[in-house]
């Protein structure tokens, strides 16, 4: 599981990403509006789910990475909110909840970790099966534009920070983008430096990701039984306009039985 290694840099990664602050506020609001079981798929280290639990919201988190889940559990314990947090180690395509959910979310482009349309369809079918009648499903995906493709292909110095051992570190990133298959390899490397700036160690942590075009996302939702309620172009709920949008944020509902 790629995220077992990526977990070590996840804090730096999210602290230095432009979309993490708006997506946090958006999903916290959705959780606060829902009464009943709320489930975050790809809960990771609990960046969003634990913020909701700190506000008193009971949360269920699903993730395939044992290391990310361990971080989430340790943070919940440290903050004294374990009683509000249920964690399930499972895949998006096969997770089973103890009771049907009123809201399932899949934040931060995480559906993209399933890199084929078939796998994404299986995940959406499973989300639909695990929702209560009338329940909501919310997810966001990359909106891949020529400008974003070009940006992601560049090498970026993402962050400069101090490691727990006192050494300085630089975190770099670039991506191999395959437009034909709508997949990418996001390659990060962390350089650990000694006091005189000499490279002591370099660690690579690649991630496999993919993206949907908006019309594919709508078709997948409809094929798997959802009614689309809204598509936003950002986390402020601006109506989706392909010429202006930064993201694709989908809100869908399972019909009443
Ligand atoms: C980008 S992180 C999102 C974490 C958190 N939701 C957030 O917004 O910070 C994606 C998470 O999805 C998990 N993940 C990736 N593929 C998965 C799969 N097939 N099934 C379950 N979890 C998966 C990873 O382990 C990782 O924790």
């Amino acid at each position: 599981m790629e995220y077992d290694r990526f977990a070590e840099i996840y804090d730096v990664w999210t602290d230095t990403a432009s979309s993490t602050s708006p997506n946090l506020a958006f999903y916290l609001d959705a959780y606060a509006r829902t009464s009943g079981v709320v489930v975050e798929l790809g809960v990771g280290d609990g960046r969003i789910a634990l913020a909701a639990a700190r506000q008193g919201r009971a949360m269920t988190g699903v993730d395939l990475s044992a290391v990310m889940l361990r971080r989430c559990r340790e943070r919940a314990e440290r903050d004294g909110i374990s009683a509000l947090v249920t964690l399930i180690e499972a895949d998006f395509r096969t997770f089973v909840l103890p009771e049907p959910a009123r809201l399932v979310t899949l934040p931060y482009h995480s559906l993209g970790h399933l890199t084929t349309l078939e796998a994404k369809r299986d995940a959406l079918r499973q989300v639909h099966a695990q929702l209560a009648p009338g329940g909501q499903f919310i997810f966001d995906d990359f909106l891949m534009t020529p400008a974003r493709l070009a940006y992601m292909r560049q090498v970026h110095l993402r962050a400069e920070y101090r490691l727990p051992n006192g050494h300085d570190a630089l975190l770099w990133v670039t991506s191999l983008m395959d437009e034909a298959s709508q997949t990418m390899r996001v390659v990060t490397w962390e350089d650990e430096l000694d006091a005189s700036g000499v490279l002591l160690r370099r660690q690579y942590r690649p991630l496999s990701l993919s993206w949907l075009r908006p019309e594919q996302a709508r078709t997948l939702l409809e094929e798997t039984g959802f009614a689309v309620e809204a598509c936003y172009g950002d986390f402020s709920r601006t109506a989706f306009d392909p010429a202006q949008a930064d993201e694709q944020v989908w809100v869908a509902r399972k019909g009443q039985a």
Side-chain angles (χ1 to χ4, degrees):
M1 176 62 187
E2 292 173 329
Y3 262 93
D4 286 350
R5 226 184 322 149
F6 201 80
E8 295 158 5
I9 55 165
Y10 195 71
D11 275 343
V12 181
W13 185 254
T14 52
D15 286 352
T16 54
S18 58
S19 60
T20 45
S21 168
N23 73 16
L24 173 69
F26 172 85
Y27 285 103
L28 283 180
D29 180 63
Y31 298 166
R33 285 172 193 232
T34 306
S35 47
V37 176
V38 174
V39 179
E40 184 174 320
L41 299 181
V43 69
D45 65 355
R47 180 180 69 90
I48 304 173
L50 295 188
R54 277 183 220 107
Q55 297 173 352
R57 225 261 152 250
M59 290 294 306
T60 298
V62 175
D63 206 289
L64 200 52
S65 163
V67 178
M68 289 296 265
L69 284 176
R70 190 170 66 233
R71 285 181 172 242
C72 189
R73 199 171 293 115
E74 286 170 358
R75 286 179 174 188
E77 281 163 14
R78 186 195 62 201
D79 295 351
I81 49 174
S82 300
L84 288 170
V85 181
T86 304
L87 297 176
I88 300 172
E89 187 175 333
D91 191 281
F92 300 147
R93 293 161 287 184
T94 51
F95 72 101
V96 175
L97 301 174
E99 53 181 322
R102 291 301 310 169
L103 171 64
V104 174
T105 68
L106 184 43
Y108 203 11
H109 311 148
S110 301
L111 183 62
H113 287 298
L114 300 175
T115 54
T116 66
L117 271 179
E118 292 69 29
K120 292 175 206 270
R121 191 178 293 113
D122 289 345
L124 266 54
R125 277 209 187 96
Q126 191 62 13
V127 171
H128 193 271
Q130 297 298 305
L131 275 171
Q136 230 179 12
F137 174 47
I138 305 180
F139 77 102
D140 59 84
D141 200 1
F142 298 98
L143 180 66
M144 206 49 78
T145 60
R148 183 175 283 225
L149 276 166
Y151 181 84
M152 292 186 76
R153 284 183 166 127
Q154 294 165 359
V155 173
H156 297 279
L157 177 57
R158 181 70 175 244
E160 184 180 23
Y161 50 96
R162 180 123 325 142
L163 294 168
N165 65 9
H167 289 147
D168 287 331
L170 299 173
L171 182 64
W172 303 84
V173 61
T174 191
S175 304
L176 289 167
M177 309 297 291
D178 183 342
E179 289 175 73
S181 64
Q182 295 173 225
T183 60
M184 61 183 124
R185 236 4 221 164
V186 176
V187 180
T188 66
W189 61 103
E190 185 186 51
D191 285 342
E192 180 176 343
L193 311 174
D194 74 8
S196 50
V198 173
L199 180 63
L200 294 171
R201 184 170 164 273
R202 170 171 287 176
Q203 181 162 3
Y204 286 88
R205 296 180 180 93
L207 288 179
S208 300
L209 272 160
S210 63
W211 68 92
L212 288 168
R213 292 192 296 271
E215 66 275 16
Q216 292 173 313
R218 181 178 290 277
T219 301
L220 271 186
L221 284 166
E222 291 173 353
E223 277 175 359
T224 51
F226 287 99
V228 172
E229 289 196 330
C231 179
Y232 303 119
D234 57 33
F235 292 105
S236 307
R237 296 191 174 76
T238 307
F240 184 83
D241 168 356
Q244 305 285 335
D246 299 320
E247 303 272 347
Q248 33 178 331
V249 185
W250 292 90
V251 180
R253 200 173 289 276
K254 174 173 174 167
Q256 296 288 345

